Each structure stands twice: as structure tokens, then as C-alpha cells.
Amino acid sequence: MYLNKNHLATSVVHCLVAFFLLLGIAVVSSDNSYAATGSYEAALPDELKTAKDMCALIPCGEAFPGAVSFSERMGQPPYVEAYGAPVAGKKPLLGYVMLSTDITDTPAYSGKPVVTLMGMDLKGRFVGIKVLKHSEPILLLGIPESALLNFNKQYIGKSVADKVEVGQSRPDEGVLGVDAISGATVTVIVQNQVMMTSGMAIARQVGIVAPSVREPAKYIVSGQHLSWDQLVKQGSVQRLLVKAEQVGLEKNSVPFIELWFGDLNHPDVGISLLGEHSFNNLHSQLKENEHAIFIIRTAGIESFKGSGFVRGGMYDRIQVKQDADSFTFRDLDYLNLYGIEAAGAPTYNESAIFVIRSKAFSSAYPWKLSFLGNRVDRATGARSFATFDTKYWLANELLLGGRPTVEEAAAPYVRIWKSRALEIILFALLLIAVTVVYALREKLTRRSSHKNKWPVNIFKYSAWALSIGFVGFGAMAQPSITQVLTWFHSLLFQWTWSLFLTDPFIFLFWIFIIVTVFLFGRGLFCGWMCPFGSLSEAIYKVGEKVGLKRFQGHLPRALHDKLKWLKYAIFFALLTVSMFSMGLAEKLSEVEPFKTTFLVGITHRSWPYGLFVAVLLGISLFIERPYCKYICPLGAALAMPSTFRWFGLKRKQDCNSCKACTVSCGSLAIDAAGRIDHRECLHCLDCMVLYTDVKGCPPLAKERKRRERDGLEIKAIGRDGYFIPIYQIPATPASTAVQAGPDPRMPSDMVVPPHKAGSTGLKWLSQELFDHLWPWSAEGWASQRALQIAGFALAIAASLAWVFTAFGQLSSAAIIGWWLGWSVYEVLIRLSGRRYVKDGPWWQANYRYASLMDMLSYVSFKNLLIGAGLFLSLKALGLLAI
């Protein structure tokens, strides 16, 4: 039944207006709060990285309560000493304060480090922690900053020597657990790693923790003299390359810096590089347990020595790291490199031999050369600390007994997968089970009827319950449009597997979503497994059971057909904004109620967010899934590829005149012609139940009654949705109106492109490729000649833009703009001529008439794949400015 059109339309419009007003209030109030007190993208002094008096620039006292003064920076990596009130004219040493980015710049979920100030007493215990700056969007709008402060408080009193992990304590393994922040697991796991790494590095340096002890290397000496290329192939010489765009400068054919480096203690390597005389001369100057490496600069606009270096100073741009130990170089650790003797060595314009004077270093174990610098944000001009590392490990054949076994610390995402293995396995089994059950849906629907849908509903309702309880509130694995935007940007700019693997539930969920969207359409996820959609539907069902059924219904069809486009507008608006500012897109994505409902909780957010969720769920008592139908940008993003799902729901010819399914369709996805719009269908399967219900489906009921009246055999329902014919007795023919009406088994009328009629094999494949790449046609030329000419000119311009990009003359933003512009024109060109799309698997030839939305979906998806392929190809060739 339809609700009163005017009253409901007014209510819906008022709810939407109220939402955007509430969202604006929340964003503004959030921005004002953070501007005043927060650390989200806080401005830090440019000189913070190099200033000797660090504590004059940042509040060291907040990281070390009770300290009254602080020293200048000392040591490497740097730290400052914290002093108490003078006693007898002397300042007692209380402990140490360190800045996380002086030691490690491990990125959090945003791709940027959380800049943290930490205080540690003389026994290695944390006494204070202060977050100076972070870029985590979830901590901007989703989770209050107090949650991060409370997380950090858990470390107070814990020692850097403790084995601290995010999660449950395991006393039998000596593990101290700290509670995570719900919805920000990745952030806190990285924060834990940064704090423990930083604290241990300083504790070892000042003697709180015993220094590392590594067995010195024992070499196998063959006496071979290797060329430069042989040394590179062997791994004895490594390259460290930093491009200009990696530090925020304009793309340039000249790198920011290109370094080559390697070991000089191994006789085969050292003699090959220096020659025998120079090698012997070098080692006559080295003491026991001292180690020499060489560095040369073969290209670049930057010096690795530093223009500000003075006698007695430190080379602050180069560092060697081995596990948690860092080794830096002063002027006394520098020796001149007079030449490279290896055949084929490159020319260079800066060189050095550095000596590592520490017993903790061993060339038998892997180490890294780090180049330290600043990265400039082109948009804001802000500078941030950055390190660029290249790993070095002598080849197995150069070491007596081979390389030693090294247990490197597992990546954060590996620890997450291990710590939640059981939950992850159960979640994966749930997704597989739902997919299998849905794939066998016809067996369930044939056992159901319009009066008894439990064979279907027992599985569907179980999926809803698990989705709400286990997936939503338990694992907090609600997919979001922000993930679509992040994946889109990562595909175009910088794909990092570790970023997406850090949330295993979301990672597995998206595999499920991508597979099932192309198999069945968006409906399996949106209708069965989306936590918020399931919650909304469950509330509607509860309302029906508690006596609200007479108030429940649908929006008028005309109003529904207009409002359903709103979610697409929201999606494209978010996508467009994200191309200019991901931060703003993150804020606007609060159009989704998911974060408030599952990740953070209504009670932990400001009132506009909670009120919006309450309004949505309140409306859900009377209208089935209002958010899913009209607002959800994630649903819109998934609806577009649903245009090309392989397997749709079944229809029969009589569906074009029978309205039984149309009237009962909760998502209003069936039109007057009986056709299903799989972009809107949420797969409740009610129409599939009627499809074989001999009492509920009017054409079947009519045929059943005829056979009963005539005493004929009642056979089973065939795959076509009709009774299996009785031998020599034909079924009752469909009426002329039904036969002449549209075919509801296809979403639109069938089309046979003239140039593809009868084509097979390679000819068909070549025409298929031509069809995707060449949008012009004779029909379009006849009807819209000006548009075709304009499109041809734009296509040439877009092609030239890709060529300019390949030669490094255009940035990524410019080519994205050109490609979007061309895509808009291609939609118009195809609508005027090649107005058809394919239905079902790509290798079949089921062509049908394309609506505007069909063509938008086709061109958008096709050009996204082509653009991503070109982007990745150009990036692989090092030609694209990112």
C-alpha cells in the first residue's frame, strides 16, 4: 500500500533537510573544537626537527610531569634530559623526553605518523605521553580525542622492556595487554609500535636497557674481483633513490637524490670497490669491531652530507639502522673516498666512507641506510619529517655458515590477523555460507509460498541477526563509502596492501562484496549482510509485529522514482570532493550513520549525529529501508556495477501484465512492465517465491485451476516458471496483450547491434574491443552530428593529455580532469548512437537498450578500468607525476 502522498513527501523532505542541517552543525562544532584544542593536523613549528632547544617549541612538561627544566637535544636518535628542582645547586636528572618522529615515522591508517611526545623515567617507565599531531580521520569526527588520550594513559607506569601488545594480556607469554579504541584498531596498533620502538631506542642509548649484542660477521673470501654490475646483482651494492615528488617538489627528471652504498669490510667486496692498496690502507685505520661503508651520490639536487655541516658536527642526513639500534656519524667518523675501482662504476659528484664504531653492529645481519629529510605538503606548505630507507644484507655466499636466522618483528597487520584468527575464520565461514545459500536460492524459494516464506526467511533472518550482532556491533565491520574513496585513490595514486590488510574483517568483507556484486548484484550485501540495512529492516519487521502495520507502506511510486537518484548524487558529490580534499570528503561522508551506530556509539557522539540515526531508524518503523533506498552513497557505488551482474532474478512473460510481484516488492525495484531494476533490488526473494507458487502467482494459479477442472495432471514448475507441459496437451496460451507486451525477462528491450549480427570467434572479439573503444556510430552522426564532432575533438584532446602525461608534462590531477570530461561526453555520444549495453556475462551477446543510468554505469566502470590501467602503466614506467 502507498502512504498519503503529500503528507509523507513533506515528512521525507523535512527529514532530509534536518539531516543536512544537523550534519553541518556537527561538522562546524567539531571543527571549532579541534581548532581550539585538538591535535588533528595541528601546525607544528617548521624548525622542530632541527632545533636544539626542542622544549622551547613544544610542551615537554606535559610529557614529563614534575620536571622543571630540560636540556637541549642530545644523542642519536635525539632525546632531551628532564631535570627536577635544583638541590644544593645541582639539577637532579629525572628521566628523558623523546619525540617519536625523531626515531621513527611509521605511518598510521591515514598514511601519516602520529607525532607523539613521550616521557620516560630513569628505570625506563613511561611517565607521560602527549600527542602533538595526527591525521587520523576517525579521530576527527568519529571518535573523540579523549579516547586516544585514555589509550595512551594505559602506558603510564609500563616499562619499555615490557612486552606490550594491543589486546588481551597473556601472562603465560609475558604479554601485557592494552585495550584498543573501538573503530580505530589500526591507529592504536601503530601507536603501540611507535611508542615501544621509540622508548627502547632511547633506553638502550642511555644505558637503561643493555645494548644489543650481535655475533660479528665471519667472511668467506674467494679472491674474486667483481665488476660494478656483478656487485649490484649480488646485492653487495644497493641503491637509495628519492624522487622530487616524494618530498613534495614538482616532478623532475632529476631525482632529489640518488645514492649507492655498500659494505667495505668484506675483502671480496672492499677490494673490488677500492682496489687492494686502498682497501689495505682503510683497514689499517680501523680498530677491532669497527665497520666501514661507502656512499656515493650519482645524481640529485640534494647533498647527503648537508650544506650546514661544520667541523665537530654531525652528518644529520644519513643514518644506519639495525633493528632498534641507530648509528649516526660525526666528522671523526668520515674518511675520504678517493675513487671506485670496480669496472663499470658510475660517475659521482659526492662521496664518503663512514665508520660505524659500535660493537652492537654486525654486517652478518641486515641493516638499512636511511636518508633523513623533510616532505612538503603541496596543498598546505606544511613540512613533515620523512625517512627513506633501503635494506642491505650481505649475500649468503659471502658469509661463513650463510646468513643467520633473523626473526624480524611482524608487520602490524600480521599481528592483527594472528590475534583475531578465530573471529576471522568464523567471519569468513559466514560470508561463504551466505554466498552458497544464496546461490541455491531457487531450492529455497520452491519450498516456500506467499503464505509460508520460512524456508527462505530462516536463512535471511539469521543473516540479518548475525550481520547486526556479530558483524556490526561485534567485529565493527560495517563497510563505508570512505573505503570506496580510499581504494579509488589508492588505485590511482599509491596502492599499499598493508594499509587494507590492517582491518581483516573489512578486507574479507570487500572481497565478498566485489565477488557477489558481479555475480548477483548489490542486493546480497545490501539486503542480507549490511549491518545497518539489516538493522533498519529488522525494525520495520518489529513495527509490523507490534501493531504498526496499518501505518506502514511505501512512498508513492512517482516520488520514489525521483528520490532514488539522491543517493547517486551524494556518491558523485563525495567522489568529486575527494579528488580535491580527502579530509573534506571524510567529513561529508557523515551522511552515513554507520560510524555513529556501530563504531563509536550514539552516546559517544555529539547530539546531531545521534539524532540523525534515531530519525532514520524511527522512519524505518513505517517505511522499509528508507536510508538504503534514498540516501546511501555506498549503495549507489555498488548499484552501478550491479548493472552488469551475471545472474539476475527470474521473470516470465506474464509478469508484464500481472502486478502481484510489483505490489509486494519492498524495494520498489519492479516496474509496471514487470522488469526488475537490479540496481535497486535488495533481494528479499519475495518475487522468486511467487515465481513458482502455484497458488500465489496468478498465471500459475489460473493454469492450475484449469488442469484441476479438466482432470489433467498437475506437473512441476519448469525453469521457465510455467507448468511442465503435458504430452500432446499444450498449456493455455498467453493472451495477445501479454505476448505483445515487453519482455520482463530483460531489464530493457533486446537490441542486436547490426555490425555484430552473426559474428563469432575472433571477429566478434575484435568487434567487441572496437565497440568499447570507439563510441561513434553512423546513427549518432545522422542524429547528433555536432555532438559527435565535439566528442571526437575532445577524444583527441584527452588522448593527447595521456601522451603529455606519459612525457611528464601533466600531473595526475590534470589527467583525471581530462578523463572525467571525456567520460561525460562519451555518455552523450553513445546515447545518440550506440545506445545499448550488455546484460549478463561479458562473453555472451545479450545486448539491450540502455537507459541513462545504464550508460552512466557502463561508461564510468569501463573508463575507470582503462584509466587505472593507464595510470598504473605510466607509474610503472616512472612517468606520472603523483
Side-chain angles (χ1 to χ4, degrees):
M1 104 180 166
Y2 290 109
L3 299 177
N4 180 274
K5 182 184 294 187
N6 294 331
H7 175 71
L8 192 56
T10 302
S11 299
V12 170
V13 171
H14 285 173
C15 288
L16 292 175
V17 171
F19 161 69
F20 287 109
L21 287 174
L22 294 175
L23 180 61
I25 292 170
V27 169
V28 169
S29 63
S30 175
D31 283 347
N32 290 340
S33 173
Y34 270 85
T37 62
S39 55
Y40 180 80
E41 293 291 8
L44 298 179
D46 291 340
E47 63 272 23
L48 179 59
K49 176 60 188 171
T50 56
K52 287 187 177 181
D53 192 359
M54 179 181 77
C55 294
L57 302 174
I58 52 179
C60 293
E62 293 186 34
F64 207 114
V68 297
S69 62
F70 301 91
S71 71
E72 292 185 342
R73 267 192 175 112
M74 57 179 66
Q76 195 58 232
Y79 63 91
V80 301
E81 293 182 338
Y83 305 111
V87 178
K90 292 184 178 181
K91 295 186 293 184
L93 177 63
L94 301 181
Y96 311 92
V97 175
M98 67 212 80
L99 184 65
S100 63
T101 48
D102 279 346
I103 304 161
T104 177
D105 61 345
T106 304
Y109 193 78
S110 64
K112 299 178 182 179
V114 176
V115 184
T116 308
L117 195 63
M118 293 160 278
M120 178 178 66
D121 67 16
L122 298 176
K123 294 184 178 180
R125 296 173 302 202
F126 289 108
V127 297
I129 299 161
K130 169 72 174 177
V131 173
L132 300 177
K133 178 180 180 180
H134 72 83
S135 304
E136 305 299 277
I138 188 70
L139 298 177
L140 169 63
L141 285 174
I143 297 172
E145 189 171 89
S146 59
L148 183 59
L149 298 178
N150 291 332
F151 171 79
N152 288 336
K153 287 178 182 177
Q154 297 177 89
Y155 289 82
I156 305 301
K158 290 183 172 63
S159 170
V160 296
D162 291 334
K163 191 173 182 181
V164 181
E165 294 183 5
V166 177
Q168 295 291 325
S169 294
R170 302 193 300 278
D172 54 326
E173 299 177 33
V175 174
L176 295 177
V178 290
D179 295 330
I181 300 175
S182 296
T185 306
V186 177
T187 301
V188 297
I189 285 179
V190 171
Q191 181 74 343
N192 175 70
Q193 183 180 6
V194 167
M195 291 171 62
M196 300 309 294
T197 298
S198 302
M200 181 58 73
I202 303 305
R204 279 183 175 157
Q205 187 178 168
V206 299
I208 295 173
V209 175
S212 304
V213 177
R214 301 180 181 89
E215 288 291 325
K218 297 178 181 179
Y219 303 127
I220 295 176
V221 181
S222 66
Q224 286 184 300
H225 287 219
L226 304 175
S227 68
W228 180 266
D229 289 340
Q230 289 173 318
L231 289 166
V232 172
K233 184 177 180 181
Q234 188 184 62
S236 296
V237 172
Q238 293 287 349
R239 181 191 189 209
L240 193 161
L241 177 67
V242 181
K243 297 180 180 179
E245 56 267 28
Q246 289 179 278
V247 293
L249 302 178
E250 291 292 334
K251 181 179 173 62
N252 197 317
S253 58
V254 178
F256 186 70
I257 194 166
E258 180 184 51
L259 303 176
W260 293 89
F261 65 97
D263 179 274
L264 290 178
N265 271 37
H266 193 290
D268 286 352
V269 178
I271 291 173
S272 296
L273 288 165
L274 302 179
E276 191 165 351
H277 175 73
S278 295
F279 175 79
N280 291 333
N281 183 52
L282 169 64
H283 279 264
S284 68
Q285 302 177 59
L286 297 181
K287 298 177 182 178
E288 186 179 0
N289 295 319
E290 293 186 343
H291 202 94
I293 64 170
F294 84 95
I295 304 174
I296 59 174
R297 183 186 70 176
T298 53
I301 59 177
E302 186 61 40
S303 164
F304 70 81
K305 294 181 179 179
S307 57
F309 178 78
V310 296
R311 190 168 187 81
M314 179 180 294
Y315 293 92
D316 59 1
R317 296 184 182 176
I318 291 295
Q319 198 174 86
V320 167
K321 297 178 180 177
Q322 195 165 48
D323 292 334
D325 296 318
S326 298
F327 307 97
T328 55
F329 308 105
R330 307 185 77 85
D331 60 337
L332 296 177
D333 303 319
Y334 166 85
L335 298 173
N336 287 320
L337 175 64
Y338 294 106
I340 299 290
E341 297 293 327
T347 58
Y348 54 89
N349 48 25
E350 191 174 43
S351 63
I353 293 174
F354 288 113
V355 179
I356 302 172
R357 309 183 192 275
S358 172
K359 295 179 182 180
F361 182 84
S362 172
S363 60
Y365 293 83
W367 53 276
K368 294 185 293 186
L369 180 70
S370 295
F371 177 81
L372 290 73
N374 286 315
R375 182 186 287 114
V376 179
D377 188 316
R378 289 196 204 180
T380 63
R383 293 178 176 269
S384 59
F385 173 70
T387 63
F388 304 91
D389 301 329
T390 296
K391 186 177 179 180
Y392 187 96
W393 199 356
L394 283 174
N396 196 64
E397 63 268 21
L398 298 179
L399 296 168
L400 186 63
R403 287 175 170 176
T405 301
V406 175
E407 293 186 10
E408 297 189 32
Y413 72 86
V414 174
R415 297 203 298 274
I416 295 172
W417 283 73
K418 287 182 177 180
S419 66
R420 307 190 71 179
L422 179 59
E423 295 169 86
I424 293 169
I425 291 171
L426 292 175
F427 182 62
L429 291 175
L430 171 62
L431 297 179
I432 293 171
V434 169
T435 305
V436 171
V437 167
Y438 186 81
L440 300 174
R441 63 192 178 277
E442 192 168 351
K443 295 183 181 297
L444 298 176
T445 57
R446 283 177 178 268
R447 288 174 169 81
S448 305
S449 68
H450 71 293
K451 291 185 177 180
N452 179 25
K453 298 177 184 177
W454 277 106
V456 170
N457 288 347
I458 191 69
F459 289 101
K460 185 167 61 175
Y461 292 175
S462 297
W464 289 352
L466 289 169
S467 175
I468 297 168
F470 174 50
V471 180
F473 289 108
M476 292 183 290
Q478 169 71 64
S480 166
I481 189 61
T482 58
Q483 291 147 11
V484 175
L485 300 178
T486 300
W487 287 29
F488 177 75
H489 279 250
S490 296
L491 183 66
L492 295 181
F493 300 116
Q494 184 176 357
W495 183 269
T496 307
W497 277 106
S498 59
L499 176 63
F500 305 110
L501 288 168
T502 47
D503 196 328
F505 297 101
I506 291 295
F507 183 79
L508 292 176
F509 218 162
W510 272 104
I511 293 175
F512 166 83
I513 292 169
I514 291 169
V515 170
T516 58
V517 161
F518 284 102
L519 286 176
F520 311 118
R522 68 176 274 220
L524 180 53
F525 164 70
C526 292
W528 289 48
M529 287 303 294
C530 173
F532 190 83
S534 299
L535 180 61
S536 178
E537 180 81 358
I539 288 175
Y540 183 80
K541 297 296 183 185
V542 169
E544 179 181 324
K545 296 298 182 183
V546 299
L548 297 177
K549 187 173 182 178
R550 59 180 178 154
F551 302 108
Q552 293 179 327
H554 306 304
L555 293 183
R557 170 66 73 165
L559 180 59
H560 166 82
D561 287 341
K562 292 181 176 66
L563 283 180
K564 72 180 181 181
W565 299 109
L566 178 61
K567 59 181 176 289
Y568 297 98
I570 294 172
F571 166 65
F572 281 113
L574 289 173
L575 183 62
T576 302
V577 170
S578 75
M579 301 306 299
F580 300 95
S581 170
M582 266 304 282
L584 180 57
E586 288 276 0
K587 297 177 184 179
L588 296 178
S589 69
E590 287 293 331
V591 71
E592 293 181 324
F594 309 150
K595 193 185 298 180
T596 302
T597 306
F598 299 109
L599 298 184
V600 184
I602 292 177
T603 59
H604 293 98
R605 304 205 69 185
S606 55
W607 65 267
Y609 297 101
L611 181 58
F612 175 55
V613 172
V615 168
L616 279 180
L617 296 180
I619 295 175
S620 297
L621 281 168
F622 307 100
I623 300 176
E624 194 171 347
R625 293 178 181 256
Y627 176 80
C628 306
K629 291 177 184 175
Y630 307 120
I631 301 177
C632 184
L634 177 61
L638 300 180
M640 296 179 71
S642 295
T643 305
F644 316 108
R645 83 271 163 271
W646 287 5
F647 307 106
L649 300 180
K650 291 187 175 182
R651 302 273 80 199
K652 61 186 76 169
Q653 184 64 36
D654 285 271
C655 293
N656 64 16
S657 60
C658 170
K659 307 300 181 184
C661 293
T662 304
V663 171
S664 64
C665 179
S667 55
L668 299 181
I670 304 177
D671 63 15
R675 288 168 164 164
I676 297 176
D677 183 352
H678 283 85
R679 287 185 293 265
E680 300 300 317
C681 177
L682 298 178
H683 292 201
C684 67
L685 298 185
D686 285 357
C687 63
M688 285 290 289
V689 170
L690 281 175
Y691 184 76
T692 55
D693 186 352
V694 297
K695 294 183 178 180
C697 176
L700 293 182
K702 180 179 179 181
E703 175 66 10
R704 176 183 58 80
K705 290 177 182 178
R706 183 184 77 88
R707 293 191 180 192
E708 288 175 345
R709 184 183 65 246
D710 297 343
L712 299 176
E713 181 182 2
I714 304 295
K715 287 199 170 186
I717 306 300
R719 294 182 61 83
D720 61 354
Y722 294 101
F723 283 103
I724 295 174
I726 302 173
Y727 181 66
Q728 292 183 341
I729 300 179
T732 302
S735 67
T736 304
V738 169
Q739 293 179 353
D743 186 352
R745 290 169 292 187
M746 291 288 286
S748 57
D749 293 337
M750 293 285 292
V751 172
V752 179
H755 62 288
K756 289 188 177 181
S759 298
T760 58
L762 291 176
K763 182 180 180 182
W764 181 85
L765 282 175
S766 63
Q767 289 177 338
E768 184 80 356
L769 181 63
F770 179 79
D771 224 18
H772 290 312
L773 299 178
W774 189 264
W776 298 275
S777 63
E779 296 86 349
W781 185 260
S783 62
Q784 297 284 345
R785 183 169 301 181
L787 179 65
Q788 299 279 319
I789 293 173
F792 193 76
L794 185 60
I796 294 174
S799 300
L800 288 174
W802 279 108
V803 172
F804 288 135
T805 303
F807 284 101
Q809 301 300 311
L810 279 181
S811 68
S812 58
I815 189 58
I816 288 172
W818 275 105
W819 200 233
L820 287 175
W822 159 247
S823 297
V824 172
Y825 260 90
E826 185 179 355
V827 170
L828 300 176
I829 294 166
R830 287 185 179 274
L831 288 174
S832 68
R834 297 183 185 273
R835 189 160 187 161
Y836 54 83
V837 292
K838 189 177 291 187
D839 198 74
W842 67 268
W843 58 83
Q844 296 179 357
N846 296 325
Y847 298 97
R848 61 180 180 83
Y849 179 82
S851 66
L852 174 61
M853 194 62 208
D854 289 332
M855 194 60 72
L856 278 172
S857 299
Y858 164 70
V859 171
S860 298
F861 188 67
K862 172 180 71 77
N863 285 356
L864 174 63
L865 292 180
I866 294 174
L870 289 169
F871 256 93
L872 297 176
S873 299
L874 293 177
K875 284 177 65 180
L877 296 172
L879 299 173
L880 189 64
I882 298 297

